[in-house]
Amino acid sequence: QVQLVESGGGLVQPGGSLRLSCAASGFTFSAYGMSWYRQAPGKERELVAGISASGGSTTYADSVKGRFTISRDNAKNTVYLQMNSLKPEDTAVYYCKVYNGRIYWGQGTQVTVSS
């Protein structure tokens, strides 16, 4: 069965960096685009970044452009989100997602940006 397991979240000061990882299994990882979403308390889940199956195409929310970088390693069945220059408004639970005929979500990893 499809499994997505996020890791790498934590508490970081404003201006700091984190790298999130999402380890995938149960499907042909290299055949599907992947994406990262986030959900802050009291807000709807929103798209943060997406990457094509080959990694050759990426997309970002305006709020994270220039600060976040999505990448993938198809040999390791893992997608990453490098987050730099973090702001308090980046505080949220971060989820990875795949659509391979149906939508699958990971369990999420908490990112807290606070001094």
Side-chain angles (χ1 to χ4, degrees):
Q1 70 279 21
V2 173
Q3 283 194 315
L4 302 172
V5 180
E6 300 96 335
S7 60
L11 173 64
V12 63
Q13 292 187 342
S17 298
L18 283 174
R19 188 175 83 152
L20 306 183
S21 300
C22 172
S25 61
F27 64 102
T28 305
F29 180 76
S30 60
Y32 297 96
M34 299 290 297
S35 52
W36 285 97
Y37 282 70
R38 67 185 181 188
Q39 188 166 20
K43 295 189 176 181
E44 292 189 354
R45 196 170 294 190
E46 63 174 358
L47 175 67
V48 175
I51 189 166
S52 63
S54 68
S57 179
T58 57
T59 186
Y60 296 93
D62 287 343
S63 58
V64 307
K65 279 181 183 176
R67 301 188 298 122
F68 291 11
T69 302
I70 189 171
S71 63
R72 65 190 295 159
D73 185 336
N74 285 347
K76 295 183 178 179
N77 287 2
T78 302
V79 61
Y80 304 98
L81 186 67
Q82 177 67 44
M83 305 186 296
N84 299 327
S85 302
L86 282 160
K87 305 175 180 180
E89 51 263 42
D90 295 318
T91 295
V93 178
Y94 284 70
Y95 300 89
C96 65
K97 176 194 139 184
V98 65
Y99 174 74
N100 65 350
R102 58 165 286 188
I103 294 172
Y104 293 90
W105 297 94
Q107 84 287 352
T109 185
Q110 176 71 47
V111 171
T112 303
V113 184
S114 175
S115 54

